[in-house]
Amino acid sequence: MDFVSVNFILLFLVSSIIYYLFPKKFKWIVLLIANIIFYISGNGFISLFLLGSIITIYIGGRVLDKLESNKPSFKDMDIDTKKVAKKKFKNKKKLVLLLTIFANLGILVVLKYDNFLISIFNSIFNFNVPYKNFILPLGISYYTLEAISYIADIYNGKYKGEKNIFKLALYLSFFPLMVEGPISRYDELSVSLYEPHEYDFTKYKDAIILIIWGYLKKLVIADRVGILVDNVFNNNYGGIVVILAMVLYVVQIYTEFSGCMDIVTGVSELFGIKVPRNFNHPFFSKSIDEFWRRWHITLGAWLRDYIFYPLSISNLNMKIITKVSKYNNVFSKLLTTAYPLLIVWLTMGIWHGASFKYILYGLYYYVLMVLGILLKPIGTKIIEYCKFKTNVFSYKLFQMFRTTLLVTIGMTLFRSKTFIGAFKFMGNIFNTSTKSIFDMGLSGKDYALVAIMLVVIFIISLLGELGIDVRKKIDEQNIIFRYVIYLVLVFSLLTFGLYGYGYDASSFIYGGF
Amino acid sequence: MKNVIKVIIFLLIMCIIMYILSPIFRPHWNTDVIIQGYTKEKSNSIDVLFVGDSDIYAGISPVEIYKNSGITSFDYASAAATNLLMYHMMKRALTYQTPKVVVMDLSSIFGYKEGETNTHRAMDPTPLDKLKLEFVNDSGYHFDIGNKLTYIFPYLRFHDRWDEISSNDFTKNRTKNIEYNSLKGFEFNTEVEASTNGDTYMENKDETADFIEKALPNAILKAKAYCDSHNIKFLLLAMPDTSAWSYAKYEKMTSWAKENNIDYLDTNVLLDEIGIDYNTDSKDGGMHLNVYGATKLSKYLSNYLSTHYELEDHRNDSYYNNWNEDVESYNQLLEDNNVSD
């Protein structure tokens, strides 16, 4: 079922109404049924893979709980016996953890990365293993990470496993999250999911407003600028249209992804459910590091908690830290995190797609991070020498501009067909422009519309950055003003949105992962 | 309760705005001239209603029929309409007039699917009422909710014309701004493009033909039943068309019409009698007639209708004075374009 479809809108409206009519004890079942309808209608028998993930993590969780509850008492053992017993116990738990992770990761690797691995195998060994054409289950890259975080948290004793497999299924398959995330954590989302929520008109209305806002960003801006982006990236134009395409791709991916998150958050809020935030006005970031704490926040957090931290305290990294700790320079500081950071960015890259392009995309940010650390002392010296003030607006503006420029280059790498192709594409900036910007599929009115919408988004983001809740502010106004705002929102979407006959508005960039 | 009222009021305001925006956003089509122009005819003044697609408005001249026999008619037609759409068009047309005969065109029944825009062309110029809702809920169309809404509020279909809207769009589709249609739906066309298979398209007697889907012949049966219940004669008509017709289709329709007790007239086997010459009488290689072909066919139909149905000659009836004026302007048009009568 597509997010941009009447069926999806009907699903969330009807199920939210039924949710509030149901008795408290059974409200979560309404959500589960909505999940099933959503998932099976779009995936058919491929839904069995999701079912497989639910079953494996359920069993893994229950086994870990059982092991923990039957944990032997090490109190009366001598040191050697205790050491062996503890190790044996830990190994048992580790085995369950690894088996569960491999079962889930294995499905993801086979379905998503099979052809990538086959191409590497064929290149190295000069074989001719045929490529497969598996259909990816919707949301597999997202729910697999959620599954892994669930079992890892149980292993680490953060919480006990869910005893009710249907409730666990509800968590892993919560339908608004299946297209583009966010990647939720069981202990945060489950509380909100299982607890019955009472109907609140203002909250319901605000949720609808957020959903409309999300669709506006996707259908009015993202899909519109996507026309030019696709045109320029698929052809060999030069000059200003290349710069325009690079910038507008950033606009496209941001408004689409954040628009989708608004829809997801809004749909969840219809049921009174709070999902984790995935964007925090990323273009106010003053560094790449900050950018990735504001963009696709839940992926960054997942990588931090399940890759970066475990690797930071791994034996290998501890050895590195021990060796470099006697030095106190920028290189030694870098080396304490270089290895886990490398794995994080490699994982980030490969998560996005099964090709070397995505790996190199991840490595691009790794290099930027490393350079950031290495060049920081030089940067500090330059600032001191030039007597630049760093706590003023102009300096922060420079930092934001610099970050946005680096991100734009990164996004160009992401969008291009190949890594080398991206540099060739950017090189075309210096070629004589072969096309006018008005020959790219967008008219002057389209550009004006996008510009106005971006100004509106900027104002709302700025207000958000200043801690002002725009929806709450609107709620405080008089009814006529509120109605006008709501009507402007609705009719902006209905008039300017790229939906309906002749448009394929349903595809989401991040929905392909 | 207060909140429910607020929501209802808001939704009502939305519906009103979409209703107002619909005629502004949708394009102006030739069907506005035909369908809305039809509503300007004097009440109870049309004896024969021709319902169909572009074959009808290209190939039948109601003024020519009136000239020859005093029988009044109208081409209530929309390009590429299937018989399913024609059924709904007929029902709409019959709310304004009570003709004695409905003549329904046959062309889509063996061939093409109705394009989405063509459906809008025929339905969007008509008011939002019970008949429109009946059309929207017709199971023959398999409309999903999104599609249904685009027929209730065409603004939702044509919203992407936002960058073309000019001051003209605020008035172009209003019925009061649509002129009285002196050609009665006929599209006067003097272009000539000879057909390459005009002599041979009905020769092959070895093929068979079958309907592409049940909804279309069923729509004809529904139309016949509706006419029967309103004491209106029903005639099925196959227009001359070298690109879409064949002997097999003629045979299929003849036997089907007989089985279902429907009067059927196939002009494709009467070309000599009508006098159709595909070297001069088509505007596009045999798909549609031009004014030369339409004149011949209209004279033939004038005779056919006079002899097969009890229809009055209104040429001396003062109620139909406007028709006499229409004949004068039509004759002038023929003269201006060197079209002999």
Side-chain angles (χ1 to χ4, degrees):
Chain A
M1 191 183 290
D2 295 321
F3 258 27
V4 183
S5 69
V6 175
N7 288 340
F8 178 68
I9 293 169
L10 282 174
L11 175 69
F12 69 67
L13 284 177
V14 170
S15 56
S16 63
I17 292 167
I18 295 173
Y19 179 86
Y20 290 113
L21 294 173
F22 252 55
K24 282 185 188 176
K25 208 172 157 189
F26 303 114
K27 282 187 191 298
W28 68 273
I29 295 176
V30 174
L31 289 175
L32 181 61
I33 293 170
N35 291 356
I36 293 168
I37 293 170
F38 176 83
Y39 205 81
I40 291 182
S41 67
N43 288 265
F45 76 91
I46 299 171
S47 310
L48 290 173
F49 287 111
L50 174 58
L51 185 62
S53 284
I54 293 166
I55 292 170
T56 53
I57 63 168
Y58 175 75
I59 293 172
R62 299 292 286 134
V63 170
L64 282 175
D65 282 347
K66 188 101 183 173
L67 282 173
E68 199 56 44
S69 62
N70 294 336
K71 188 175 175 179
S73 171
F74 303 115
K75 232 175 27 179
D76 301 321
M77 294 180 190
D78 60 72
I79 294 175
D80 291 331
T81 316
K82 196 197 278 189
K83 206 172 165 181
V84 168
K86 271 191 176 175
K87 192 170 181 186
K88 198 175 171 186
F89 175 73
K90 198 177 172 189
N91 285 345
K92 266 189 195 170
K93 279 184 64 176
K94 208 175 235 178
L95 180 65
V96 175
L97 171 72
L98 290 176
L99 279 174
T100 312
I101 290 177
F102 283 140
N104 283 274
L105 214 49
I107 298 172
L108 178 65
V109 166
V110 167
L111 295 180
K112 187 173 173 180
Y113 299 98
D114 56 325
N115 286 335
F116 177 55
L117 294 171
I118 288 171
S119 71
I120 295 173
F121 183 81
N122 285 345
S123 311
I124 296 174
F125 300 106
N126 212 21
F127 271 45
N128 205 13
V129 176
Y131 294 108
K132 309 283 176 214
N133 245 341
F134 294 122
I135 302 171
L136 278 183
L138 178 70
I140 188 170
S141 298
Y142 297 95
Y143 72 69
T144 301
L145 295 193
E146 289 178 346
I148 292 171
S149 75
Y150 172 77
I151 199 70
D153 287 348
I154 295 173
Y155 172 83
N156 289 322
K158 206 171 171 190
Y159 44 77
K160 287 197 182 318
E162 174 56 55
K163 288 181 183 159
N164 185 330
I165 191 170
F166 296 104
K167 281 191 169 177
L168 186 61
L170 169 57
Y171 159 69
L172 204 65
S173 67
F174 184 43
F175 76 92
L177 276 58
M178 296 311 282
V179 175
E180 293 195 338
I183 300 162
S184 61
R185 304 295 177 90
Y186 176 77
D187 51 341
E188 290 164 3
L189 185 60
S190 60
V191 172
S192 199
L193 268 182
Y194 305 152
E195 171 185 288
H197 301 281
E198 291 301 321
Y199 174 72
D200 179 306
F201 176 75
T202 304
K203 285 182 182 165
Y204 196 92
K205 175 179 53 86
D206 284 352
I208 297 281
I209 299 301
L210 188 58
I211 293 167
I212 294 171
W213 179 241
Y215 277 118
L216 250 170
K217 281 155 88 174
K218 156 71 175 159
L219 297 177
V220 176
I221 310 178
D223 285 358
R224 183 169 260 103
V225 301
I227 295 170
L228 179 144
V229 169
D230 286 348
N231 200 350
V232 178
F233 271 88
N234 293 338
N235 289 289
N236 214 17
Y237 305 132
I240 195 162
V241 293
V242 175
I243 299 174
L244 191 58
M246 288 172 65
V247 169
L248 287 182
Y249 181 63
V250 175
V251 169
Q252 179 190 7
I253 199 167
Y254 173 62
T255 50
E256 187 186 275
F257 200 359
S258 67
C260 181
M261 290 301 101
D262 291 335
I263 296 168
V264 167
T265 306
V267 170
S268 305
E269 283 181 1
L270 286 179
F271 302 94
I273 293 164
K274 206 167 149 53
V275 295
R277 196 173 181 180
N278 227 6
F279 286 91
N280 185 16
H281 320 299
F283 295 100
F284 289 113
S285 303
K286 294 182 277 305
S287 68
I288 290 294
D289 190 45
E290 186 183 354
F291 180 82
W292 282 98
R293 280 183 274 114
R294 288 179 181 246
W295 174 283
H296 206 171
I297 297 170
T298 57
L299 176 63
W302 192 97
L303 291 169
R304 178 198 64 210
D305 293 343
Y306 301 103
I307 306 254
F308 183 78
Y309 286 156
L311 287 179
S312 298
I313 57 170
S314 66
N315 289 336
L316 170 61
N317 207 50
M318 293 315 288
K319 280 180 188 159
I320 295 170
I321 291 173
T322 311
K323 280 216 160 75
V324 303
S325 58
K326 55 189 173 207
Y327 305 102
N328 189 22
N329 56 41
V330 68
F331 292 103
S332 62
K333 283 188 182 133
L334 174 64
L335 285 171
T336 56
T337 53
Y339 157 61
L341 265 183
L342 175 64
I343 305 301
V344 160
W345 287 106
L346 276 176
T347 308
M348 196 281 284
I350 198 96
W351 179 88
H352 279 91
S355 77
F356 283 112
K357 177 187 90 165
Y358 291 109
I359 295 175
L360 291 168
Y361 167 71
L363 287 178
Y364 166 75
Y365 283 106
Y366 176 67
V367 166
L368 286 181
M369 295 276 194
V370 166
L371 284 175
I373 296 170
L374 290 174
L375 295 176
K376 192 167 178 181
I378 301 170
T380 308
K381 282 205 163 66
I382 294 173
I383 288 166
E384 277 171 17
Y385 182 78
C386 297
K387 294 188 171 57
F388 283 144
K389 293 180 225 177
T390 57
N391 61 345
V392 293
F393 170 71
S394 54
Y395 185 74
K396 289 174 187 167
L397 188 64
F398 156 73
Q399 288 179 304
M400 289 182 220
F401 177 75
R402 178 191 62 192
T403 306
T404 304
L405 179 63
L406 291 171
V407 164
T408 303
I409 293 170
M411 292 300 182
T412 303
L413 300 176
F414 188 76
R415 176 60 178 81
S416 301
K417 289 194 181 92
T418 63
F419 195 75
I420 303 292
F423 289 100
K424 279 188 189 163
F425 178 80
M426 287 187 276
N428 284 343
I429 292 172
F430 304 104
N431 292 341
T432 315
S433 179
T434 54
K435 285 267 187 182
S436 152
I437 63 169
F438 297 106
D439 289 337
M440 296 288 109
L442 297 184
S443 66
K445 287 181 181 169
D446 286 316
Y447 284 116
L449 177 62
V450 168
I452 292 168
M453 285 296 305
L454 288 177
V455 166
V456 172
I457 288 176
F458 173 73
I459 292 170
I460 291 176
S461 299
L462 185 60
L463 291 172
E465 190 72 2
L466 297 171
I468 297 168
D469 185 333
V470 175
R471 286 189 288 170
K472 206 173 163 190
K473 279 286 169 211
I474 295 173
D475 283 337
E476 289 166 5
Q477 307 308 314
N478 288 319
I479 189 164
I480 293 176
F481 181 84
R482 280 188 279 128
Y483 267 39
V484 168
I485 296 285
Y486 302 152
L487 287 170
V488 166
L489 268 176
V490 167
F491 281 96
S492 296
L493 173 60
L494 293 178
T495 304
F496 304 121
L498 298 191
Y499 65 90
Y501 184 75
Y503 294 111
D504 177 21
S506 58
S507 50
F508 281 83
I509 297 170
Y510 263 82
F513 301 135
Chain B
M1 192 59 192
K2 214 170 79 175
N3 290 330
V4 171
I5 293 171
K6 279 185 199 170
V7 170
I8 291 171
I9 291 174
F10 184 80
L11 290 173
L12 262 168
I13 294 173
M14 263 185 68
C15 288
I16 291 168
I17 294 174
M18 288 195 289
Y19 181 78
I20 293 169
L21 290 177
S22 287
I24 297 169
F25 274 77
R26 71 168 180 82
H28 186 71
W29 296 300
N30 67 335
T31 41
D32 281 287
V33 174
I34 295 172
I35 290 171
Q36 294 204 74
Y38 171 79
T39 64
K40 309 245 166 167
E41 293 299 314
K42 279 183 178 174
S43 68
N44 227 8
S45 66
I46 301 293
D47 295 325
V48 179
L49 182 74
F50 292 104
V51 183
D53 62 7
S54 51
D55 281 330
I56 294 288
Y57 64 60
I60 299 177
S61 169
V63 178
E64 187 65 49
I65 292 174
Y66 181 81
K67 264 167 65 175
N68 284 274
S69 60
I71 293 169
T72 53
S73 60
F74 201 101
D75 288 345
Y76 196 88
S78 180
T82 60
N83 288 102
L84 181 54
L85 185 58
M86 288 177 207
Y87 165 69
H88 291 284
M89 287 166 66
M90 180 198 77
K91 285 190 76 175
R92 170 67 62 191
L94 294 178
T95 61
Y96 295 99
Q97 297 281 339
T98 44
K100 296 181 180 56
V101 186
V102 164
V103 181
M104 184 177 277
D105 177 28
L106 255 185
S107 46
S108 61
I109 201 161
F110 294 106
Y112 59 85
K113 291 246 176 229
E114 186 174 286
E116 181 263 3
T117 315
N118 292 319
T119 318
H120 275 281
R121 271 189 209 264
M123 299 313 292
D124 290 354
T126 63
L128 176 59
D129 58 8
K130 198 174 140 200
L131 272 182
K132 184 160 279 182
L133 293 176
E134 196 185 297
F135 151 75
V136 148
N137 287 315
D138 190 324
S139 58
Y141 276 110
H142 313 292
F143 286 142
D144 62 25
I145 291 182
N147 273 330
K148 287 184 187 184
L149 285 172
T150 66
Y151 288 101
I152 295 171
F153 301 113
Y155 153 74
L156 293 173
R157 167 63 182 84
F158 298 106
H159 63 91
D160 53 356
R161 284 193 68 245
W162 66 272
D163 56 352
E164 296 168 26
I165 300 291
S166 65
S167 54
N168 187 43
D169 288 290
F170 289 86
T171 53
K172 67 179 192 295
N173 287 330
R174 285 203 200 150
T175 306
K176 69 176 187 184
N177 295 325
I178 305 290
E179 283 179 9
Y180 166 79
N181 195 324
S182 64
L183 290 176
K184 315 299 180 191
F186 176 57
E187 282 200 352
F188 192 95
N189 194 308
T190 55
E191 283 174 39
V192 177
E193 187 187 328
S195 165
T196 53
N197 64 334
D199 295 330
T200 56
Y201 78 104
M202 293 295 284
E203 273 182 1
N204 187 346
K205 292 179 167 55
D206 297 327
E207 283 178 353
T208 55
D210 214 342
F211 302 133
I212 53 167
E213 55 178 286
K214 275 201 187 124
L216 301 181
N218 284 347
I220 297 173
L221 294 174
K222 275 165 62 175
K224 166 89 172 37
Y226 188 84
C227 287
D228 287 346
S229 66
H230 288 76
N231 286 323
I232 301 171
K233 300 281 183 210
F234 184 82
L235 174 66
L236 210 48
L237 172 70
M239 290 287 289
D241 189 342
T242 65
S243 66
W245 212 246
S246 67
Y247 193 83
K249 290 172 186 176
Y250 154 70
E251 283 201 315
K252 173 71 183 177
M253 283 320 301
T254 305
S255 71
W256 183 83
K258 194 172 173 184
E259 268 168 42
N260 291 282
N261 205 25
I262 297 176
D263 293 338
Y264 174 56
L265 177 66
D266 194 323
T267 59
N268 294 279
V269 296
L270 298 165
L271 298 175
D272 289 339
E273 214 174 304
I274 298 168
I276 298 289
D277 176 358
Y278 274 115
N279 290 315
T280 56
D281 293 344
S282 170
K283 67 175 186 173
D284 51 14
M287 267 199 294
H288 299 91
L289 296 179
N290 54 22
V291 66
Y292 308 105
T295 302
K296 292 173 187 173
L297 178 60
S298 303
K299 283 180 177 168
Y300 177 85
L301 286 173
S302 171
N303 203 30
Y304 184 92
L305 291 166
S306 302
T307 51
H308 285 78
Y309 303 99
E310 286 173 23
L311 299 168
E312 279 177 51
D313 181 346
H314 297 298
R315 283 174 288 189
N316 293 318
D317 187 339
S318 59
Y319 187 69
Y320 296 87
N321 275 344
N322 58 307
W323 278 82
N324 298 326
E325 286 162 18
D326 295 335
V327 166
E328 277 176 33
S329 54
Y330 185 72
N331 286 338
Q332 187 61 51
L333 188 60
L334 290 173
E335 198 183 304
D336 292 344
N337 286 276
N338 298 319
V339 179
S340 58
D341 206 348

